[in-house]
């Protein structure tokens, strides 16, 4: 079965950095666009960043542009989210997600989801 397993979350001070990883199994990874979403307490899940199947295209939410970088290693079946200059408003559970073919920002379009990893940014 398909599994997406996130890691790398934690507690960090404002201005700090974290690198999230999402390891995929049970699917042909290179056939899937990958994305990171996040959900803060009391808020709806929101798109953070996405990357196309070949990594030729990336897309970011305005709130993270210039601070977050998404990348992927198809040989390792892993997608990454490098986060710098973290802010308290980045505090959320971060989820990776996979969908076939085209990269989109709508969560309902995604086929598979990880269990999430908590990122907490203290002020």
């Amino acid at each position: 079965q398909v599994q997406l397993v996130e890691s790398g979350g934690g507690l960090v001070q404002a201005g700090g950095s974290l690198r999230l990883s999402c390891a995929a199994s049970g699917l042909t990874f290179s056939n899937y666009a990958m994305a990171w979403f996040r959900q803060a307490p009391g808020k709806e899940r929101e798109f953070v960043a996405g990357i196309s199947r070949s990594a030729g295209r990336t897309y970011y939410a305005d709130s993270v542009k210039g601070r977050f970088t998404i990348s992927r290693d198809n040989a390792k079946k892993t997608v990454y989210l490098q986060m710098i200059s973290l802010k308290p408003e980045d505090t959320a559970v971060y989820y990776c997600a996979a969908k076939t073919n085209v990269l989109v920002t709508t969560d309902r379009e995604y086929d598979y989801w990880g269990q999430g990893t908590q990122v907490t940014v203290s002020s």
Side-chain angles (χ1 to χ4, degrees):
Q1 72 277 21
V2 175
Q3 281 193 309
L4 301 177
V5 180
E6 300 99 334
S7 61
L11 173 64
V12 64
Q13 289 188 329
S17 302
L18 282 174
R19 188 195 196 204
L20 305 183
S21 299
C22 172
S25 61
L27 76 172
T28 304
F29 188 70
S30 58
N31 287 350
Y32 287 78
M34 300 296 296
W36 289 93
F37 290 80
R38 67 186 181 187
Q39 188 167 22
K43 295 187 177 181
E44 293 188 353
R45 186 164 56 190
E46 64 175 354
F47 174 85
V48 175
I51 189 166
S52 63
R53 292 173 293 169
S54 66
R57 188 165 69 97
T58 57
Y59 190 77
Y60 297 91
D62 288 343
S63 59
V64 306
K65 278 181 184 176
R67 300 188 299 120
F68 291 10
T69 303
I70 189 170
S71 61
R72 66 188 293 162
D73 185 332
N74 283 353
K76 295 183 177 179
K77 296 186 176 182
T78 302
V79 62
Y80 305 96
L81 186 67
Q82 178 68 52
M83 306 184 293
I84 66 171
S85 302
L86 283 161
K87 305 175 181 180
E89 52 263 43
D90 295 318
T91 296
V93 177
Y94 284 70
Y95 300 90
C96 73
K99 71 171 297 292
T100 53
N101 299 323
V102 180
L103 171 64
V104 298
T105 63
T106 308
D107 59 356
R108 64 177 180 271
E109 301 280 343
Y110 282 78
D111 302 306
Y112 303 107
W113 292 83
Q115 82 289 349
T117 185
Q118 176 71 47
V119 171
T120 303
V121 184
S122 63
S123 57

